[in-house]
């Protein structure tokens, strides 16, 4: 029988306990927000292989907090729907969209995030007669619309819009409508005018259900694991915690409530989409997993820094990211390499969020700062700006439902008045008030991170002042897309 060397064994245990591991071993349940029994991600029930993990089992206090400050607003606002129905009885149909306005929507609203300089083979083939080597081109590809099966009498079509750079600005050259298999230019009269509505409709659908959800749902795993796995007094927890409130219950409501606007039931006065739940849910999959063979939709990755946007919309976002990154770097500069709480946190999340660093990579030069700064930027500035931008759109120029078939060459005059019904517009307006437009409860500009150290408290106050300086600079440059005081502290709508 092998003799156990107990002396060596206990010596090893003592060494481990006296090392940095002691910090993690000494934590008790009371050191954690929910006693180490907090929320945890699981495969999304509707699309376990096509969507990011979901967080469905929440502490009661989070559910109550959301209903008091967010959910109750939805209930009260629903009482407005009869007034909007009456209003749109006198404002029927859609309004004319000038070419200048059309360009502005594609270049200077949240739809600019679809602008891409990656032309796949299909794009090159479709626009072969319009491309030359002397100009710079972008494409707005709204191919995900193909998964939407519309209700009877309602139409939607995938589209591709080609833009060329002239005088340092990108202007629309032509529009390809997939259902028509035709290209339209401003010389095509009514066909061109109708094509613009189909592009704007596709942009509205893809903005709200393909692109924007990637600011929401993939980050739920970070939210839940931060609350559950990081000790409350850890500096990383304190830095992230103010940006976690309201989000998980909101996401659960969108993904699982039978009254979610994704279900688009006829009796819902706030469900504006053109098709049923199944197709709409597939749009989330397109955004998260990407579209095979389409270089404009490559699937979700946690990028750790803002991606290139071919618009000064991206310059606005970058300006705030730089300031957030500087702040995060100052706060986290004393976290030692090998901190077990941070290591565990990163290991847990990296298994669930594509491209999130693991417990080894997180301690490489600059990785922790980039990772945390991106999270804070995502759930505050990036998320809020999308909603603010969409909330400013004229829903009579950016329809969600179109009651006219796709345009054709040489088509006759179409009726803008009959393009949407009163009910269509009432549902759309209610959705804009309830979900699309911003409704803040807590604000980024006055965030108190509850730091205990005097150094961190000073850095916190300096950061808030620096945010004001960023806004002033954006005002001077003429690209202040959203006031600082409209930026939410967390994803709360």
């Amino acid at each position: 029988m092998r003799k156990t060397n107990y002396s060596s064994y206990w010596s090893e245990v003592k060494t481990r306990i006296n090392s940095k591991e002691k910090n993690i071993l000494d934590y008790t349940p009371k050191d954690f927000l929910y006693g180490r029994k907090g929320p945890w991600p699981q495969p999304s029930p509707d699309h376990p292989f096509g969507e990011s993990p979901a967080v469905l089992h929440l502490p009661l206090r989070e559910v109550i907090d959301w209903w008091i400050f967010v959910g109750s607003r939805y209930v009260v606002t629903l009482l407005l729907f009869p007034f909007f129905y009456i209003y749109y009885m006198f404002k029927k149909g859609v309004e004319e969209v000038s070419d200048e306005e059309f360009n502005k929507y594609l270049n200077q609203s949240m739809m600019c995030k679809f602008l891409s300089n990656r032309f796949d083979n299909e794009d090159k083939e479709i626009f072969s007669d319009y491309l030359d080597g002397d100009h710079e081109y972008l494409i707005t590809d709204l191919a995900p619309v193909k998964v939407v099966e519309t209700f009877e009498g309602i139409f939607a079509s995938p589209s591709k819009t080609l833009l060329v750079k002239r005088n340092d600005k990108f202007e629309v050259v032509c529009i390809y409508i997939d259902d028509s298999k035709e290209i339209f230019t401003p010389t095509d009269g009514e066909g061109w005018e109708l094509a613009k509505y189909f592009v704007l409709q596709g942009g509205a659908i893809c903005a709200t259900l393909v692109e924007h959800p990637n600011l929401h749902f993939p980050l739920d795993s970070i939210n839940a694991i931060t609350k559950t796995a990081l000790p409350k007094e850890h500096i990383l927890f304190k830095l992230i915690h103010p940006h976690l409130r309201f989000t998980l219950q909101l996401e659960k409501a969108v993904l699982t409530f039978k009254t979610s606007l994704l279900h688009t039931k006829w009796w819902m006065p706030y469900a504006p989409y053109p098709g049923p739940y199944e197709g709409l849910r597939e749009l989330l999959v397109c955004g998260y997993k990407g579209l095979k063979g389409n270089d404009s939709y490559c699937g979700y990755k946690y990028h750790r820094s803002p991606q290139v946007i071919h618009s000064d919309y991206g310059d606005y976002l970058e300006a705030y990211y730089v300031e957030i990154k500087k702040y995060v770097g100052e706060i986290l500069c004393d976290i030692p390499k090998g901190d077990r709480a941070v290591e565990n946190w990163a290991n847990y999340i990296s298994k669930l969020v594509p491209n999130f660093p693991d417990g080894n990579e997180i301690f490489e030069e600059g990785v922790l700062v980039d990772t945390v700064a991106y999270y804070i930027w995502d759930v505050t500035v990036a998320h809020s700006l999308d909603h603010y931008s969409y909330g400013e759109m004229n829903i009579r120029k950016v329809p969600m439902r179109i009651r006219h078939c796709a345009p054709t060459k040489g088509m006759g005059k179409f009726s803008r008045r009959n393009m949407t019904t009163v009910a269509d517009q009432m549902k759309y307006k209610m959705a804009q008030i309830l979900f699309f437009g911003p409704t803040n409860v807590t604000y980024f500009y006055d965030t108190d991170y509850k730091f205990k150290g005097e150094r961190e408290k000073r850095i916190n106050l300096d950061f808030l002042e620096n945010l004001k300086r960023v806004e002033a600079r954006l005002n001077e440059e003429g690209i202040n897309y959203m006031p600082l005081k409209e930026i939410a502290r967390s994803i709360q709508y």
Side-chain angles (χ1 to χ4, degrees):
M1 181 180 293
R2 183 179 176 183
K3 185 176 180 179
T4 304
N5 188 338
Y6 289 104
S7 176
S8 174
Y9 171 77
W10 287 114
S11 176
E12 181 184 343
V13 171
K14 185 176 181 180
T15 300
R16 286 173 51 221
I17 292 177
N18 288 330
S19 70
K20 286 179 181 174
E21 281 196 72
K22 180 177 180 180
N23 294 329
I24 203 74
L25 292 173
D26 278 353
Y27 288 127
T28 64
K30 68 180 181 180
D31 293 316
F32 295 83
L33 184 63
Y34 296 122
R36 289 198 291 237
K37 297 179 180 179
W40 204 263
Q42 66 176 70
S44 176
D46 277 33
H47 284 278
F49 304 110
E51 294 181 8
S52 58
V55 183
L56 304 182
H57 305 288
L58 303 177
L60 181 60
R61 75 164 99 162
E62 290 205 10
V63 177
I64 294 174
D65 186 43
W66 183 83
W67 273 109
I68 290 174
F69 292 99
V70 180
S72 59
R73 174 180 66 83
Y74 294 148
V75 175
V76 173
T77 306
L78 280 173
L79 300 176
L80 296 175
F81 84 87
F83 301 100
F84 286 114
Y85 188 89
I86 294 171
Y87 175 81
Y88 284 110
M89 289 177 66
F90 300 95
K91 296 279 186 178
K92 291 184 179 180
V94 296
E95 294 181 6
E96 182 177 353
V97 179
S98 69
D99 291 353
E100 181 181 357
E101 288 175 308
F102 184 60
N103 270 284
K104 188 173 181 180
Y105 276 122
L106 297 190
N107 284 284
Q108 293 181 292
S109 75
M110 69 176 294
M111 292 184 192
C112 72
K113 294 166 77 174
F114 293 112
L115 292 171
S116 173
N117 59 5
R118 297 189 295 266
F119 284 71
D120 53 42
N121 291 333
E122 180 181 329
D123 301 331
K124 294 174 183 177
E125 181 179 348
I126 288 173
F127 295 118
S128 59
D129 293 338
Y130 297 86
L131 298 171
D132 63 55
D134 298 328
H135 293 88
E136 183 180 350
Y137 295 92
L138 296 177
I139 186 173
T140 294
D141 186 341
L142 302 174
V145 175
K146 66 184 178 183
V147 304
V148 179
E149 300 213 0
T150 57
F151 296 119
E152 185 176 355
I154 298 177
F155 300 85
S157 173
S159 66
K160 297 176 187 285
T161 302
L162 182 69
L163 300 92
V164 65
K165 191 172 187 179
R166 295 192 182 110
N167 301 320
D168 293 326
K169 294 182 180 180
F170 282 94
E171 300 175 0
V172 173
V173 176
C174 56
I175 297 168
Y176 172 77
I177 300 296
D178 190 70
D179 282 10
S180 308
K181 305 299 181 189
E182 291 181 319
I183 292 178
F184 298 87
T185 70
T187 62
D188 285 312
E190 291 293 282
W192 167 253
E193 294 298 323
L194 184 55
K196 287 190 289 186
Y197 291 113
F198 272 86
V199 173
L200 293 174
Q201 177 202 35
I205 293 169
C206 290
T208 55
L209 293 180
V210 179
E211 172 63 31
H212 184 73
N214 281 339
L215 297 177
H216 278 255
F217 306 117
L219 280 74
D220 290 351
S221 294
I222 302 173
N223 186 311
I225 291 172
T226 298
K227 290 172 179 172
T228 301
L230 279 178
K232 291 182 292 185
E233 295 305 314
H234 196 286
I235 192 69
L236 180 57
F237 178 90
K238 286 186 169 293
L239 180 60
I240 299 177
H241 184 246
H243 306 294
L244 307 179
R245 189 179 176 192
F246 302 124
T247 304
L248 294 182
Q249 178 62 21
L250 173 73
E251 314 289 54
K252 180 181 177 180
V254 173
L255 295 177
T256 68
F257 282 18
K258 296 302 182 184
T259 51
S260 164
L261 82 167
L262 292 178
H263 285 274
T264 318
K265 302 295 185 183
W266 66 268
W267 49 268
M268 293 180 178
Y270 53 82
Y273 289 108
Y277 173 81
E278 290 73 17
L280 300 181
R281 195 64 183 254
E282 285 299 318
L283 288 167
L284 300 182
V285 178
C286 291
Y288 186 67
K289 284 297 186 180
L291 289 176
K292 188 175 180 179
N294 189 316
D295 291 344
S296 294
Y297 297 90
C298 299
Y300 176 82
K301 285 185 179 180
Y302 191 86
H303 290 289
R304 310 179 202 172
S305 64
Q307 296 302 285
V308 173
I309 297 176
H310 300 277
S311 165
D312 50 22
Y313 192 99
D315 297 335
Y316 174 97
L317 293 172
E318 179 70 23
Y320 277 107
Y321 174 78
V322 169
E323 196 58 50
I324 293 169
K325 180 179 176 179
K326 176 185 173 186
Y327 169 61
V328 171
E330 292 176 338
I331 292 296
L332 300 183
C333 65
D334 291 333
I335 289 184
K337 186 174 183 179
D339 183 301
R340 283 296 301 277
V342 175
E343 179 184 344
N344 290 341
W345 173 79
N347 278 332
Y348 295 144
I349 297 171
S350 65
K351 294 178 174 61
L352 300 171
V353 179
N355 203 44
F356 196 94
D358 64 19
N360 290 319
E361 188 183 357
I362 197 73
F363 294 110
E364 294 178 4
E365 184 68 28
V367 173
L368 176 60
V369 172
D370 288 346
T371 300
V372 176
Y374 184 80
Y375 179 84
I376 294 174
W377 170 85
D378 180 301
V379 302
T380 57
V381 182
H383 174 264
S384 295
L385 180 55
D386 273 8
H387 279 270
Y388 188 86
S389 175
Y390 199 93
E392 289 192 315
M393 291 184 187
N394 183 340
I395 66 172
R396 295 187 65 211
K397 295 187 177 185
V398 185
M400 195 70 83
R401 294 179 174 184
I402 292 178
R403 294 179 181 272
H404 193 293
C405 61
T408 56
K409 292 279 191 177
M411 64 177 286
K413 192 172 182 63
F414 68 93
S415 169
R416 287 183 172 83
R417 182 178 175 84
N418 295 328
M419 284 266 286
T420 60
T421 67
V422 174
D424 292 339
Q425 294 300 83
M426 179 268 293
K427 288 171 181 279
Y428 198 178
K429 185 63 177 180
M430 288 298 297
Q432 191 178 48
I433 293 173
L434 287 166
F435 310 111
F436 299 151
T439 308
N440 296 323
V441 180
T442 60
Y443 299 85
F444 189 35
Y445 76 90
D446 63 357
T447 304
D448 180 358
Y449 290 86
K450 309 295 182 184
F451 294 129
K452 291 186 176 180
E454 292 303 316
R455 170 185 169 275
E456 288 80 11
K457 289 179 180 179
R458 175 183 55 78
I459 295 172
N460 183 170
L461 293 175
D462 288 347
F463 172 59
L464 301 183
E465 289 301 314
N466 289 338
L467 290 178
K468 296 176 185 177
R469 295 187 183 97
V470 171
E471 179 179 44
R473 186 172 77 251
L474 292 170
N475 279 327
E476 290 176 4
E477 296 173 1
I479 58 171
N480 189 22
Y481 276 83
M482 171 179 58
L484 172 60
K485 290 192 175 183
E486 293 293 334
I487 301 176
R489 192 181 299 166
S490 62
I491 293 178
Q492 48 199 252
Y493 45 80

